[in-house]
Amino acid sequence: SENTFREDLKTLYNKLGIENKKIVFLFGDQHVAEEGFLELINNMLTSGMVPALFSDEEKEGILGQIRDEAVRNGSSQAKESIWQYFVTKCSNNLHIVLAMSPVGD
């Protein structure tokens, strides 16, 4: 379901931004269980993040974990600046591969 997919994306973004892992996200047409998945992928491709993926409480936890690193790397103390550092770090560590086949219905 889309809710499960969103939870999986949260795990993915935590690995990308907090654990600093480089990950290839392979998404094939067989993975499109719901059309909403494609909208989420589109957001990942265009902005680097799925809007409203994390609740405010989860976002605060992420900011707390990455704040020192962000400031060391030139970000200001502002929440927006630290969040942008997290999103940029995630984008740099994420490589998305879309595998869509024209064959079929």
XYZ file of all heavy atoms in Angstrom:
829
model
N 0.836 -1.184 0.000
C 0.000 0.000 0.000
C 0.880 1.247 0.000
O 2.082 1.178 0.270
C -0.918 -0.011 1.216
O -0.179 0.255 2.388
N 0.261 2.365 -0.247
C 1.026 3.608 -0.280
C 1.600 3.952 1.095
O 2.716 4.471 1.196
C 0.153 4.761 -0.790
C 0.946 6.020 -1.035
C 0.155 7.105 -1.733
O -0.780 6.785 -2.487
O 0.499 8.280 -1.516
N 0.867 3.641 2.149
C 1.380 3.913 3.500
C 2.631 3.092 3.796
O 3.596 3.597 4.373
C 0.302 3.640 4.552
C -0.773 4.703 4.547
O -0.538 5.835 4.152
N -1.966 4.324 4.970
N 2.628 1.832 3.396
C 3.800 0.972 3.581
C 4.975 1.494 2.765
O 6.116 1.517 3.239
C 3.475 -0.476 3.180
O 2.341 -0.912 3.923
C 4.642 -1.406 3.437
N 4.692 1.919 1.535
C 5.732 2.465 0.668
C 6.338 3.725 1.295
O 7.561 3.912 1.288
C 5.153 2.756 -0.716
C 6.168 3.171 -1.750
C 7.312 2.421 -1.972
C 5.976 4.307 -2.517
C 8.243 2.786 -2.930
C 6.893 4.686 -3.475
C 8.026 3.930 -3.682
N 5.503 4.580 1.866
C 5.997 5.792 2.525
C 6.886 5.443 3.724
O 7.919 6.082 3.946
C 4.833 6.682 2.950
C 4.093 7.307 1.771
C 2.880 8.110 2.227
N 3.266 9.398 2.771
C 3.492 10.500 2.060
N 3.354 10.470 0.762
N 3.834 11.629 2.647
N 6.519 4.424 4.481
C 7.355 3.987 5.611
C 8.704 3.470 5.113
O 9.742 3.730 5.721
C 6.640 2.915 6.439
C 5.475 3.451 7.250
C 5.861 4.530 8.253
O 6.898 4.376 8.933
O 5.122 5.530 8.349
N 8.684 2.732 3.999
C 9.937 2.252 3.406
C 10.802 3.426 2.940
O 12.030 3.399 3.066
C 9.657 1.306 2.239
C 9.080 -0.027 2.669
O 9.212 -0.382 3.862
O 8.484 -0.719 1.818
N 10.167 4.466 2.398
C 10.917 5.642 1.966
C 11.541 6.370 3.158
O 12.652 6.884 3.057
C 10.016 6.593 1.173
C 9.599 6.110 -0.215
C 8.654 7.117 -0.867
C 10.801 5.841 -1.095
N 10.852 6.397 4.288
C 11.431 6.999 5.495
C 12.714 6.267 5.888
O 13.727 6.888 6.211
C 10.441 6.934 6.660
C 9.300 7.896 6.559
C 8.393 7.736 7.769
C 7.146 8.566 7.658
N 6.291 8.434 8.853
N 12.656 4.938 5.848
C 13.841 4.134 6.164
C 14.965 4.444 5.184
O 16.129 4.616 5.570
C 13.491 2.636 6.121
O 12.436 2.380 7.050
C 14.688 1.769 6.451
N 14.609 4.541 3.903
C 15.588 4.857 2.867
C 16.245 6.207 3.130
O 17.475 6.324 3.124
C 14.905 4.865 1.491
C 15.745 5.371 0.316
C 16.866 4.390 0.001
C 14.869 5.597 -0.898
N 15.450 7.236 3.403
C 16.000 8.574 3.624
C 16.848 8.643 4.891
O 17.827 9.386 4.934
C 14.890 9.628 3.638
C 14.535 10.074 2.233
C 13.433 9.558 1.577
C 15.323 10.996 1.563
C 13.114 9.958 0.289
C 15.025 11.400 0.275
C 13.913 10.878 -0.361
O 13.624 11.268 -1.636
N 16.506 7.881 5.902
C 17.350 7.843 7.102
C 18.704 7.221 6.796
O 19.733 7.681 7.301
C 16.655 7.088 8.235
C 15.607 7.924 8.925
O 15.787 9.114 9.120
N 14.498 7.311 9.286
N 18.725 6.193 5.967
C 20.007 5.589 5.575
C 20.828 6.549 4.735
O 22.045 6.630 4.880
C 19.767 4.287 4.824
C 19.280 3.173 5.707
C 19.099 1.888 4.950
C 18.591 0.815 5.915
N 18.451 -0.478 5.268
N 20.175 7.296 3.859
C 20.867 8.228 2.983
C 21.439 9.418 3.742
O 22.593 9.791 3.557
C 19.908 8.750 1.901
C 19.392 7.744 0.883
C 18.215 8.329 0.130
C 20.499 7.327 -0.065
N 20.614 10.022 4.577
C 20.990 11.287 5.196
C 21.666 11.169 6.543
O 22.538 11.963 6.861
N 21.280 10.189 7.328
C 21.852 10.060 8.669
C 23.021 9.085 8.665
O 24.077 9.361 9.210
C 20.769 9.642 9.686
C 19.733 10.766 9.796
C 21.392 9.334 11.041
C 18.513 10.419 10.609
N 22.832 7.928 8.031
C 23.902 6.921 7.990
C 24.894 7.171 6.857
O 25.902 6.483 6.758
C 23.291 5.529 7.858
C 22.403 5.137 9.027
C 21.726 3.788 8.830
O 22.261 2.943 8.071
O 20.651 3.585 9.419
N 24.588 8.131 5.964
C 25.456 8.516 4.846
C 25.758 7.356 3.903
O 26.879 7.220 3.410
C 26.741 9.158 5.362
C 27.420 9.983 4.296
O 26.761 10.584 3.452
N 28.741 10.008 4.313
N 24.771 6.510 3.643
C 24.962 5.391 2.723
C 24.574 5.805 1.317
O 23.597 6.512 1.109
C 24.116 4.201 3.162
C 24.579 3.613 4.463
C 23.843 2.343 4.790
C 24.419 1.779 6.084
N 23.958 0.456 6.360
N 25.354 5.358 0.353
C 25.026 5.574 -1.053
C 24.171 4.385 -1.501
O 24.565 3.244 -1.314
C 26.288 5.687 -1.885
C 27.114 6.898 -1.502
C 28.260 7.101 -2.452
C 29.117 8.271 -2.059
N 28.442 9.530 -1.915
N 23.000 4.685 -2.078
C 22.040 3.634 -2.390
C 21.486 3.830 -3.798
O 21.194 4.957 -4.212
C 20.879 3.650 -1.370
C 21.414 3.317 0.020
C 19.771 2.675 -1.777
C 20.385 3.404 1.128
N 21.336 2.719 -4.511
C 20.640 2.712 -5.787
C 19.230 2.208 -5.521
O 19.040 1.132 -4.965
C 21.347 1.792 -6.811
C 20.518 1.672 -8.080
C 22.732 2.317 -7.127
N 18.247 3.007 -5.895
C 16.842 2.667 -5.709
C 16.306 2.221 -7.058
O 16.111 3.028 -7.966
C 16.087 3.893 -5.182
C 14.634 3.646 -4.917
C 14.237 2.955 -3.781
C 13.670 4.112 -5.781
C 12.892 2.733 -3.527
C 12.330 3.904 -5.533
C 11.939 3.210 -4.401
N 16.118 0.908 -7.211
C 15.625 0.336 -8.461
C 14.116 0.181 -8.364
O 13.602 -0.509 -7.476
C 16.279 -1.026 -8.729
C 15.771 -1.802 -9.938
C 16.012 -1.022 -11.226
C 16.444 -3.155 -10.004
N 13.407 0.844 -9.258
C 11.947 0.820 -9.244
C 11.478 0.427 -10.634
O 11.675 1.151 -11.602
C 11.405 2.203 -8.848
C 9.939 2.217 -8.567
C 9.447 1.834 -7.342
C 9.042 2.618 -9.548
C 8.084 1.848 -7.075
C 7.681 2.642 -9.293
C 7.200 2.255 -8.053
N 10.857 -0.738 -10.725
C 10.367 -1.237 -12.006
C 8.862 -1.103 -12.129
O 8.154 -0.878 -11.137
N 8.372 -1.261 -13.344
C 6.933 -1.120 -13.557
C 6.132 -2.166 -12.788
O 4.987 -1.934 -12.413
C 6.580 -1.138 -15.038
C 7.130 -2.340 -15.789
O 7.786 -3.202 -15.171
O 6.912 -2.410 -17.020
N 6.729 -3.287 -12.459
C 6.045 -4.308 -11.669
C 5.858 -3.882 -10.219
O 5.062 -4.461 -9.492
C 6.773 -5.659 -11.741
C 8.109 -5.711 -11.053
C 9.283 -5.201 -11.882
O 9.107 -4.571 -12.917
N 10.487 -5.464 -11.416
N 6.559 -2.827 -9.785
C 6.443 -2.326 -8.419
C 5.324 -1.295 -8.251
O 5.060 -0.851 -7.143
C 7.766 -1.683 -7.960
C 8.891 -2.655 -7.891
N 10.037 -2.491 -8.612
C 9.041 -3.812 -7.207
C 10.854 -3.505 -8.375
N 10.266 -4.321 -7.521
N 4.692 -0.926 -9.348
C 3.636 0.082 -9.290
C 2.333 -0.595 -8.858
O 1.478 -0.918 -9.656
C 3.449 0.813 -10.642
C 2.402 1.915 -10.520
C 4.765 1.383 -11.125
N 2.205 -0.811 -7.559
C 0.990 -1.431 -7.020
C -0.144 -0.416 -6.972
O -1.314 -0.780 -7.080
C 1.264 -1.992 -5.623
N 0.190 0.856 -6.789
C -0.788 1.939 -6.772
C -0.217 3.108 -7.568
O 0.988 3.345 -7.551
C -1.078 2.395 -5.336
C -1.727 1.342 -4.470
C -2.015 1.856 -3.059
O -2.078 3.088 -2.852
O -2.161 1.007 -2.173
N -1.083 3.847 -8.243
C -0.613 4.976 -9.047
C 0.062 6.046 -8.206
O 0.917 6.781 -8.688
C -1.767 5.579 -9.845
C -2.162 4.725 -11.025
C -3.153 5.425 -11.936
O -3.080 6.662 -12.080
O -3.987 4.717 -12.500
N -0.296 6.149 -6.922
C 0.319 7.129 -6.035
C 1.817 6.927 -5.891
O 2.550 7.871 -5.577
N 2.289 5.703 -6.128
C 3.731 5.420 -6.059
C 4.484 6.298 -7.057
O 5.567 6.794 -6.761
C 4.020 3.956 -6.372
C 3.606 2.975 -5.310
C 2.785 3.328 -4.253
C 4.034 1.662 -5.382
C 2.411 2.409 -3.288
C 3.673 0.728 -4.423
C 2.854 1.106 -3.377
N 3.906 6.464 -8.253
C 4.579 7.245 -9.295
C 4.686 8.710 -8.911
O 5.688 9.362 -9.209
C 3.845 7.089 -10.626
C 3.831 5.672 -11.196
C 2.989 5.610 -12.457
C 5.250 5.192 -11.469
N 3.691 9.236 -8.218
C 3.758 10.614 -7.745
C 4.872 10.774 -6.718
O 5.612 11.760 -6.733
C 2.424 11.034 -7.132
C 2.398 12.486 -6.723
C 1.057 12.913 -6.172
O 0.046 12.236 -6.409
O 1.041 13.946 -5.479
N 5.026 9.793 -5.836
C 6.098 9.847 -4.846
C 7.470 9.801 -5.520
O 8.373 10.563 -5.158
C 5.949 8.700 -3.844
C 4.672 8.725 -2.991
C 4.559 7.446 -2.170
C 4.627 9.946 -2.113
N 7.607 8.918 -6.505
C 8.876 8.821 -7.256
C 9.154 10.136 -7.977
O 10.286 10.625 -7.999
C 8.843 7.643 -8.255
C 8.694 6.319 -7.529
C 10.069 7.648 -9.152
C 9.872 5.916 -6.689
N 8.118 10.720 -8.570
C 8.286 11.996 -9.266
C 8.786 13.081 -8.312
O 9.679 13.858 -8.662
C 6.961 12.426 -9.907
C 7.123 13.689 -10.723
O 7.975 13.779 -11.585
N 6.287 14.672 -10.431
N 8.241 13.128 -7.101
C 8.717 14.099 -6.110
C 10.175 13.851 -5.753
O 10.944 14.801 -5.583
C 7.857 14.043 -4.847
C 6.512 14.679 -5.039
O 6.377 15.684 -5.717
N 5.492 14.070 -4.457
N 10.557 12.592 -5.646
C 11.948 12.263 -5.336
C 12.866 12.764 -6.444
O 13.955 13.271 -6.172
C 12.113 10.753 -5.152
C 11.414 10.212 -3.916
S 11.332 8.408 -3.884
C 13.058 7.985 -3.636
N 12.423 12.621 -7.680
C 13.246 13.029 -8.816
C 13.324 14.548 -8.958
O 14.371 15.084 -9.319
C 12.692 12.426 -10.109
C 12.853 10.924 -10.262
C 12.029 10.415 -11.442
C 14.318 10.558 -10.437
N 12.224 15.244 -8.701
C 12.213 16.685 -8.942
C 12.776 17.500 -7.788
O 13.495 18.469 -8.015
C 10.785 17.186 -9.257
O 9.909 16.816 -8.203
C 10.285 16.604 -10.564
N 12.454 17.131 -6.555
C 12.889 17.964 -5.433
C 13.866 17.262 -4.498
O 14.410 17.880 -3.594
C 11.676 18.431 -4.623
O 11.062 17.339 -3.965
N 14.041 15.965 -4.680
C 14.956 15.228 -3.816
C 14.298 14.677 -2.564
O 14.916 13.945 -1.811
N 13.031 15.037 -2.333
C 12.329 14.618 -1.122
C 10.840 14.509 -1.410
O 10.324 15.225 -2.263
C 12.567 15.639 -0.005
C 11.870 15.359 1.303
S 12.296 13.798 2.088
C 13.974 14.069 2.608
N 10.188 13.621 -0.697
C 8.737 13.484 -0.783
C 8.128 14.471 0.214
O 8.447 14.404 1.409
C 8.298 12.042 -0.460
C 6.785 11.926 -0.425
C 8.903 11.063 -1.458
N 7.294 15.406 -0.244
C 6.693 16.364 0.686
C 5.881 15.665 1.777
O 5.188 14.692 1.515
C 5.772 17.207 -0.205
C 6.269 16.999 -1.591
C 6.881 15.632 -1.613
N 5.982 16.183 2.976
C 5.232 15.675 4.138
C 5.485 14.195 4.405
O 4.630 13.508 4.946
C 3.744 15.944 3.975
N 6.660 13.710 4.031
C 6.995 12.310 4.302
C 7.172 12.100 5.800
O 6.673 11.125 6.359
C 8.270 11.908 3.552
C 8.757 10.473 3.740
C 7.730 9.488 3.178
C 10.099 10.263 3.059
N 7.870 13.018 6.440
C 8.140 12.914 7.866
C 7.191 13.821 8.644
O 6.944 14.960 8.231
C 9.583 13.317 8.175
C 10.610 12.387 7.601
C 11.274 12.693 6.429
C 10.923 11.204 8.250
C 12.230 11.842 5.907
C 11.872 10.339 7.736
C 12.533 10.649 6.560
N 6.716 13.333 9.773
C 5.914 14.180 10.665
C 6.835 15.223 11.285
O 8.069 15.097 11.240
C 5.257 13.331 11.749
O 6.242 12.827 12.638
N 6.257 16.251 11.896
C 7.073 17.289 12.536
C 7.969 16.697 13.618
O 9.123 17.097 13.766
C 6.176 18.377 13.134
C 5.515 19.236 12.059
O 6.005 19.236 10.916
O 4.511 19.893 12.375
N 7.446 15.743 14.352
C 8.223 15.100 15.411
C 9.406 14.313 14.836
O 10.528 14.387 15.348
C 7.306 14.167 16.204
C 7.910 13.629 17.472
C 6.894 12.822 18.271
O 6.064 13.451 18.956
O 6.939 11.575 18.171
N 9.153 13.569 13.751
C 10.233 12.810 13.104
C 11.277 13.756 12.522
O 12.485 13.503 12.590
C 9.664 11.912 12.002
C 8.814 10.774 12.510
C 8.041 10.080 11.406
O 7.594 10.752 10.455
O 7.872 8.856 11.511
N 10.797 14.854 11.945
C 11.699 15.843 11.344
C 12.608 16.451 12.408
O 13.806 16.629 12.184
C 10.860 16.917 10.654
C 11.585 17.732 9.639
C 10.594 18.608 8.896
C 11.285 19.493 7.913
N 10.363 20.334 7.153
N 12.046 16.759 13.573
C 12.841 17.305 14.675
C 13.934 16.316 15.101
O 15.060 16.714 15.392
C 11.956 17.646 15.868
C 11.145 18.912 15.699
C 11.985 20.158 15.564
O 13.041 20.257 16.235
O 11.585 21.039 14.787
N 13.597 15.031 15.127
C 14.584 14.010 15.466
C 15.726 13.964 14.470
O 16.899 13.847 14.842
N 15.377 14.069 13.187
C 16.404 14.081 12.140
C 17.292 15.311 12.283
O 18.519 15.226 12.211
C 15.751 14.017 10.742
C 15.111 12.650 10.526
C 16.757 14.331 9.647
C 14.227 12.563 9.306
N 16.652 16.469 12.484
C 17.421 17.707 12.630
C 18.384 17.624 13.808
O 19.528 18.077 13.715
C 16.476 18.900 12.802
C 15.610 19.253 11.589
C 14.618 20.357 11.953
C 16.446 19.641 10.406
N 17.925 17.018 14.902
C 18.788 16.865 16.067
C 19.989 15.977 15.797
O 21.086 16.229 16.292
N 19.790 14.940 14.978
C 20.881 14.005 14.691
C 21.898 14.573 13.718
O 23.066 14.201 13.748
C 20.312 12.705 14.114
C 19.518 11.898 15.111
C 18.982 10.633 14.475
O 19.755 9.796 14.010
N 17.672 10.496 14.453
N 21.463 15.473 12.840
C 22.351 15.932 11.768
C 22.827 17.373 11.968
O 23.684 17.849 11.231
C 21.645 15.740 10.410
C 22.647 15.673 9.283
C 20.594 16.799 10.168
C 22.089 15.124 8.017
N 22.316 18.045 12.990
C 22.618 19.469 13.212
C 24.125 19.756 13.279
O 24.626 20.629 12.570
C 21.938 19.956 14.492
C 22.269 21.413 14.829
C 21.434 21.952 15.966
N 20.131 22.343 15.419
C 18.970 21.731 15.689
N 18.934 20.724 16.522
N 17.853 22.152 15.142
N 24.863 19.029 14.105
C 26.299 19.300 14.262
C 27.047 19.130 12.948
O 27.895 19.952 12.596
C 26.900 18.392 15.332
C 26.401 18.717 16.725
O 25.901 19.845 16.937
O 26.497 17.840 17.610
N 26.725 18.065 12.225
C 27.377 17.822 10.933
C 27.056 18.935 9.944
O 27.940 19.406 9.218
C 26.905 16.473 10.369
C 27.438 16.160 9.003
C 26.839 14.884 8.421
O 26.318 14.042 9.174
O 26.890 14.739 7.192
N 25.804 19.355 9.913
C 25.384 20.410 8.986
C 26.115 21.716 9.281
O 26.604 22.386 8.360
C 23.875 20.604 9.065
N 26.211 22.069 10.553
C 26.892 23.308 10.940
C 28.384 23.220 10.608
O 28.976 24.178 10.111
C 26.648 23.612 12.439
C 27.522 24.754 12.918
C 25.173 23.920 12.674
N 28.992 22.053 10.859
C 30.413 21.861 10.507
C 30.648 22.043 9.005
O 31.726 22.445 8.580
C 30.880 20.459 10.906
C 31.366 20.322 12.308
C 32.140 19.034 12.535
N 31.507 17.847 11.986
C 30.645 17.053 12.624
N 30.298 17.323 13.863
N 30.128 15.992 12.041
N 29.626 21.721 8.219
C 29.762 21.815 6.764
C 29.198 23.108 6.186
O 28.924 23.190 4.992
C 29.112 20.600 6.103
C 29.948 19.354 6.291
O 31.097 19.306 5.877
N 29.389 18.354 6.945
N 29.003 24.114 7.035
C 28.664 25.445 6.543
C 27.208 25.853 6.612
O 26.878 26.952 6.187
N 26.325 25.017 7.119
C 24.920 25.407 7.255
C 24.753 26.290 8.479
O 25.512 26.194 9.434
C 24.024 24.171 7.414
O 24.003 23.420 6.229
N 23.737 27.129 8.434
C 23.439 27.941 9.615
C 22.660 27.102 10.618
O 22.285 25.971 10.336
C 22.634 29.176 9.213
O 21.317 28.800 8.862
N 22.374 27.666 11.775
C 21.650 26.959 12.826
C 20.146 26.894 12.539
O 19.423 26.192 13.240
C 21.872 27.654 14.173
C 23.260 27.490 14.723
C 23.471 26.121 15.363
O 22.556 25.350 15.576
N 24.724 25.827 15.657
N 19.666 27.602 11.540
C 18.236 27.639 11.231
C 17.742 26.249 10.815
O 18.441 25.518 10.108
C 17.965 28.642 10.114
N 16.556 25.903 11.273
C 15.982 24.585 10.957
C 15.889 24.357 9.452
O 16.182 23.264 8.970
C 14.587 24.447 11.573
C 14.585 24.293 13.060
C 13.162 24.117 13.568
C 13.151 23.999 15.076
N 11.796 23.809 15.602
N 15.477 25.397 8.732
C 15.320 25.258 7.279
C 16.652 24.955 6.607
O 16.719 24.168 5.670
C 14.712 26.535 6.680
C 13.308 26.842 7.146
C 13.264 27.527 8.507
O 14.292 28.095 8.957
O 12.198 27.464 9.151
N 17.707 25.589 7.089
C 19.039 25.380 6.526
C 19.531 23.958 6.809
O 20.097 23.300 5.928
C 20.007 26.404 7.105
O 21.302 26.203 6.588
N 19.301 23.488 8.019
C 19.729 22.131 8.377
C 18.899 21.101 7.602
O 19.436 20.104 7.121
C 19.632 21.913 9.894
C 20.634 22.837 10.589
C 19.900 20.461 10.270
C 20.477 22.919 12.082
N 17.593 21.352 7.445
C 16.746 20.436 6.680
C 17.201 20.392 5.223
O 17.267 19.335 4.612
C 15.275 20.831 6.776
C 14.395 19.852 6.061
C 13.731 20.046 4.887
C 14.120 18.499 6.452
N 13.060 18.907 4.533
C 13.275 17.946 5.482
C 14.509 17.718 7.541
C 12.817 16.630 5.553
C 14.041 16.416 7.612
C 13.210 15.879 6.633
N 17.556 21.551 4.659
C 18.034 21.577 3.274
C 19.349 20.806 3.147
O 19.574 20.137 2.150
C 18.201 23.017 2.779
C 18.498 23.106 1.302
C 17.467 22.401 0.447
O 16.275 22.605 0.593
N 17.920 21.533 -0.449
N 20.206 20.890 4.148
C 21.441 20.104 4.156
C 21.103 18.618 4.108
O 21.705 17.863 3.335
C 22.274 20.436 5.401
C 23.491 19.571 5.546
C 24.664 19.865 4.855
C 23.476 18.440 6.355
C 25.792 19.060 4.972
C 24.597 17.631 6.488
C 25.745 17.942 5.785
O 26.856 17.131 5.895
N 20.132 18.187 4.916
C 19.706 16.786 4.937
C 19.181 16.359 3.564
O 19.569 15.308 3.043
C 18.633 16.579 6.011
C 18.037 15.204 6.036
C 18.729 14.132 6.571
C 16.757 14.982 5.536
C 18.174 12.861 6.600
C 16.198 13.715 5.554
C 16.904 12.653 6.096
N 18.322 17.176 2.971
C 17.744 16.848 1.660
C 18.830 16.774 0.600
O 18.848 15.846 -0.225
C 16.655 17.874 1.269
C 16.197 17.675 -0.171
C 15.466 17.772 2.223
N 19.753 17.713 0.616
C 20.849 17.712 -0.361
C 21.729 16.480 -0.183
O 22.126 15.846 -1.166
C 21.685 19.003 -0.219
O 20.839 20.124 -0.454
C 22.849 19.014 -1.203
N 22.022 16.145 1.060
C 22.834 14.961 1.338
C 22.133 13.702 0.835
O 22.754 12.827 0.216
C 23.098 14.864 2.841
C 24.061 13.788 3.235
C 24.345 13.862 4.724
C 25.217 12.721 5.167
N 25.407 12.715 6.614
N 20.829 13.610 1.074
C 20.055 12.472 0.584
C 20.102 12.405 -0.939
O 20.307 11.338 -1.519
C 18.600 12.558 1.056
S 18.373 12.268 2.818
N 19.909 13.546 -1.593
C 19.926 13.592 -3.063
C 21.277 13.161 -3.620
O 21.346 12.464 -4.635
C 19.598 15.002 -3.556
O 18.287 15.341 -3.229
N 22.345 13.580 -2.955
C 23.686 13.215 -3.422
C 23.966 11.723 -3.247
O 24.735 11.148 -4.019
C 24.744 14.025 -2.681
C 24.745 15.473 -3.092
O 24.261 15.835 -4.159
N 25.263 16.319 -2.231
N 23.362 11.105 -2.245
C 23.612 9.683 -1.973
C 22.643 8.749 -2.678
O 22.856 7.545 -2.701
C 23.546 9.416 -0.468
C 24.762 9.925 0.257
O 25.825 10.115 -0.325
N 24.616 10.183 1.541
N 21.575 9.295 -3.256
C 20.539 8.465 -3.873
C 20.657 8.466 -5.385
O 20.766 9.514 -6.015
C 19.148 8.985 -3.475
C 17.946 8.268 -4.087
C 17.900 6.809 -3.643
C 16.658 8.982 -3.700
N 20.618 7.288 -5.962
C 20.575 7.118 -7.409
C 19.335 6.301 -7.723
O 19.188 5.176 -7.240
C 21.833 6.422 -7.925
C 23.073 7.205 -7.613
N 23.478 8.285 -8.356
C 23.963 7.082 -6.609
C 24.582 8.792 -7.819
N 24.896 8.073 -6.757
N 18.433 6.885 -8.497
C 17.168 6.235 -8.817
C 17.252 5.646 -10.215
O 17.621 6.336 -11.167
C 15.998 7.228 -8.732
C 15.880 7.777 -7.308
C 14.687 6.567 -9.158
C 14.845 8.870 -7.136
N 16.880 4.380 -10.321
C 16.839 3.696 -11.603
C 15.398 3.292 -11.845
O 14.816 2.533 -11.072
C 17.747 2.442 -11.613
C 17.637 1.716 -12.946
C 19.189 2.821 -11.320
N 14.805 3.834 -12.904
C 13.445 3.450 -13.286
C 13.525 2.441 -14.422
O 14.189 2.698 -15.427
C 12.650 4.673 -13.738
C 12.425 5.755 -12.693
C 11.703 6.949 -13.310
C 11.649 5.201 -11.520
N 12.857 1.328 -14.258
C 12.872 0.274 -15.271
C 11.430 0.051 -15.735
O 10.686 -0.715 -15.113
C 13.470 -1.010 -14.710
N 11.046 0.751 -16.776
C 9.672 0.654 -17.276
C 9.692 0.004 -18.658
O 10.467 0.356 -19.507
C 9.044 2.059 -17.390
C 9.048 2.832 -16.090
S 7.979 2.057 -14.878
C 8.395 2.993 -13.431
N 8.821 -0.959 -18.833
C 8.745 -1.688 -20.086
C 7.507 -1.268 -20.847
O 6.407 -1.205 -20.289
C 8.684 -3.188 -19.794
O 8.446 -3.898 -20.994
N 7.640 -1.030 -22.160
C 6.466 -0.671 -22.969
C 5.597 -1.879 -23.317
O 4.531 -1.734 -23.876
C 7.074 -0.052 -24.219
C 8.401 -0.729 -24.358
C 8.867 -0.972 -22.934
N 6.043 -3.054 -22.957
C 5.317 -4.270 -23.289
C 4.198 -4.489 -22.271
O 4.364 -4.227 -21.086
C 6.282 -5.479 -23.260
C 5.535 -6.771 -23.557
C 7.402 -5.275 -24.258
N 3.060 -4.927 -22.730
C 1.970 -5.244 -21.796
C 0.798 -4.313 -21.950
O 0.690 -3.577 -22.930
N -0.076 -4.358 -20.977
C -1.316 -3.588 -21.051
C -1.068 -2.112 -20.973
O -0.720 -1.446 -20.210
C -2.283 -4.014 -19.930
C -2.753 -5.436 -20.158
O -2.660 -5.899 -21.300
O -3.183 -6.062 -19.173
